[in-house]
Amino acid sequence: MKPSIREKLERLSDRLEGIDAMLSAENAASNMDQFRRISRERSDLEAVVAQYALYKQVENDIAEAEAMLADPEMRDFAEEELAAAKARIPELELALQKLLLPKDPNDDRTVILEIRAGTGGDESALFAGDLFRMYSRYAERQRWPVEVISASESDLGGYKEVICRIAGQGAYSRLKFESGGHRVQRVPETETQGRIHTSACTVAVMPEADEIGDVDLNPADLRIDTFRASGAGGQHINKTDSAVRITHLPTGIVAECQDGRSQHANKASAMRVLSARIKDIQVRAQQNAIASTRKSLIGSGDRSERIRTYNFPQGRVTDHRINLTLYKIAAIMDGDLDELLGALASEHQAEQLAALAEQG
C-alpha cells in the first residue's frame, strides 16, 4: 500500500475516534444541526475504517506466519497461512481504494430530467417521447415517482420538450451520465420508401437543488412574468394568467411552467427548474475543473457531445463513450437500463481509481 494512502487511512481512523468521543459527550445533542452533521460524517467513515482494520489484521497475520517459518514443526502450517493471507491483500487494497474515492455530494438527490427534440423534426419529437417513456419505465422499476413539470407536445405525438422530476434515493447517481446527445436511426412510420432516417434529442440530467441554502437566489435578481396558458385545459385555463415564466437576470436562465392547476403551483415548479439549472451550471463548472487536470470520458457534462446511438433496424444501442454495444433495444426502450447504467458507473469508477493511483 502507498504510504500516502496509509497515512490518509490513519487520519480517518483517528477522526472516527474523535467523532465517537464527541457523540458520547453529555451535551452532544444540544446542537441538533451539528449532531446530525457529525452523525452523517461518522456513517461515511465507518465502512472505510472497518475495512482498514481488516487490512491491518491480515498484515498482522502475515507477520505472525513469517515468524513461525523459523520453527521446523510449524513451517508447513505457516507457509499455508502466509500464502492465504498474502492472497487477500490485493483484494482488500482494491476495496479500500474504492471506499476512498470521492463521493459525489449530489448522488442521493432527486433528478430534474429535461428531454428536448433536436434535428429531425417530427421524428425527433417522437424519439423524445420514446426516451421519456424509457426513463419513466426505468424509474417505475426502481419505484421512483415521476412528476411531469412541463411538456410541449408535437403535432404527431411525442414532445418538442418535456421536463420531469424523478424522486428517489440515489436517482442522480444512477442517471447522471445520461446527459448529452442521443441519436436514433430508424424508418419513420411516415416513410413510404423504407429509408432509414437519423434524428437526435438532447437529454439533461440535473440534481434538484435543496430548498434551503443550496442555490442562493436573490429575489432582486428574478423577473417573474405571468401569462395565459396555451393549449388544452378547458375554460378556466384560457381565462386566467396562470402560466409563470421566471428569468434569472444575472445569467439569463429562464424557466417556465404552465401545466399546474394554479399560478402558485406553476411558480413553485418553475422555481424548482430554475434552481436545478443554476445548480447544474455549478456542477458542470466543477466537472470542467476536474477535466482540465484529467480528461474524464464519462462525467464531462458536455451537452453537445453525442453519447449514444439507438439503431432500430440492427436492434442495437451503442454508448460511444465506453464503446459498449447491446443488442437488446426493445428491452432498453422499455426501461431495462441496469446493464447500460452499471457499465457507465463501473467505467467512471475505473477512471477515479486510475486518478487515485497517480496521486502520491
Side-chain angles (χ1 to χ4, degrees):
M1 180 186 290
K2 285 186 176 182
S4 59
I5 292 179
R6 187 183 293 274
E7 187 181 326
K8 185 172 185 178
L9 288 164
E10 288 290 347
R11 285 200 308 269
L12 294 178
S13 298
D14 291 343
R15 175 62 181 163
L16 184 62
E17 282 186 21
I19 287 175
D20 284 341
M22 282 189 278
L23 291 176
S24 60
E26 283 186 20
N27 61 344
S30 59
N31 183 334
M32 284 308 295
D33 286 340
Q34 183 179 337
F35 182 80
R36 279 192 288 267
R37 179 178 58 78
I38 293 174
S39 296
R40 279 198 300 269
E41 185 182 353
R42 191 197 185 285
S43 177
D44 291 339
L45 287 175
E46 191 173 17
V48 68
V49 172
Q51 187 73 19
Y52 183 45
L54 185 59
Y55 179 87
K56 287 198 292 185
Q57 179 59 54
V58 173
E59 282 188 321
N60 287 337
D61 293 345
I62 290 172
E64 289 175 6
E66 286 175 338
M68 283 192 291
L69 288 173
D71 184 344
E73 293 183 6
M74 299 294 291
R75 186 174 184 84
D76 289 346
F77 173 75
E79 285 178 348
E80 284 182 22
E81 289 292 299
L82 190 59
K86 283 186 173 179
R88 291 189 67 192
I89 288 290
E91 171 195 334
L92 291 169
E93 278 194 357
L94 180 60
L96 275 170
Q97 286 175 10
K98 287 181 179 179
L99 288 168
L100 284 174
L101 293 178
K103 187 176 184 295
D104 187 335
N106 298 311
D107 272 352
D108 290 335
R109 290 183 187 270
T110 287
V111 158
I112 301 291
L113 172 71
E114 297 184 354
I115 303 170
R116 284 192 184 84
T119 54
D122 289 330
E123 174 62 13
S124 176
L126 289 170
F127 180 49
D130 292 339
L131 288 176
F132 175 65
R133 181 180 181 275
M134 177 182 81
Y135 291 122
S136 297
R137 292 283 291 119
Y138 177 72
E140 205 176 285
R141 290 165 184 248
Q142 310 302 313
R143 292 182 168 82
W144 296 339
V146 178
E147 171 196 349
V148 175
I149 293 174
S150 175
S152 174
E153 297 179 7
S154 70
D155 295 335
L156 295 181
Y159 298 99
K160 297 174 187 174
E161 177 187 87
V162 58
I163 303 171
C164 69
R165 178 177 186 262
I166 301 177
Q169 186 77 13
Y172 184 72
S173 70
R174 293 298 287 168
L175 295 172
K176 63 183 175 182
F177 302 126
E178 291 300 288
S179 292
H182 294 242
R183 184 177 68 168
V184 64
Q185 295 171 326
R186 63 184 174 189
V187 179
E189 292 180 13
T190 53
E191 171 58 60
T192 55
Q193 303 296 318
R195 290 174 299 189
I196 296 172
H197 286 228
T198 299
S199 55
C201 289
T202 302
V203 172
V205 176
M206 301 173 291
E208 185 178 61
D210 281 346
E211 290 185 20
I212 302 171
D214 214 13
V215 174
D216 186 18
L217 291 178
N218 185 343
D221 291 338
L222 304 178
R223 188 179 73 231
I224 301 175
D225 300 307
T226 57
F227 57 98
R228 196 153 297 178
S230 59
Q235 294 179 342
H236 172 72
I237 202 166
N238 292 325
K239 287 183 179 177
T240 62
D241 291 341
S242 61
V244 175
R245 180 186 298 114
I246 304 176
T247 305
H248 185 242
L249 299 174
T251 60
I253 295 173
V254 178
E256 65 178 55
C257 186
Q258 59 177 345
D259 292 7
R261 293 185 176 182
S262 68
Q263 188 180 111
H264 179 75
N266 283 328
K267 181 181 177 184
S269 292
M271 281 293 287
R272 188 180 280 163
V273 173
L274 184 73
S275 296
R277 286 177 177 166
I278 292 171
K279 181 171 180 62
D280 182 55
I281 289 174
Q282 297 168 352
V283 169
R284 281 195 280 160
Q286 292 167 357
Q287 289 171 339
N288 289 336
I290 295 168
S292 67
T293 56
R294 177 181 180 86
K295 175 61 179 168
S296 172
L297 293 172
I298 308 300
S300 66
D302 185 356
R303 300 282 186 268
S304 62
E305 178 192 9
R306 190 188 78 213
I307 63 168
R308 193 174 298 148
T309 295
Y310 304 74
N311 187 302
F312 278 79
Q314 296 178 15
R316 67 172 171 85
V317 174
T318 298
D319 196 290
H320 305 290
R321 296 165 295 179
I322 55 175
N323 295 319
L324 173 67
T325 296
L326 299 174
Y327 287 90
K328 47 187 272 189
I329 195 166
I332 287 171
M333 298 310 294
D334 194 43
D336 183 5
L337 297 177
D338 281 331
E339 186 175 358
L340 193 54
L341 299 181
L344 287 163
S346 296
E347 183 71 20
H348 180 59
Q349 188 178 72
E351 285 182 353
Q352 288 182 302
L353 286 169
L356 184 66
E358 289 174 6
Q359 296 172 8

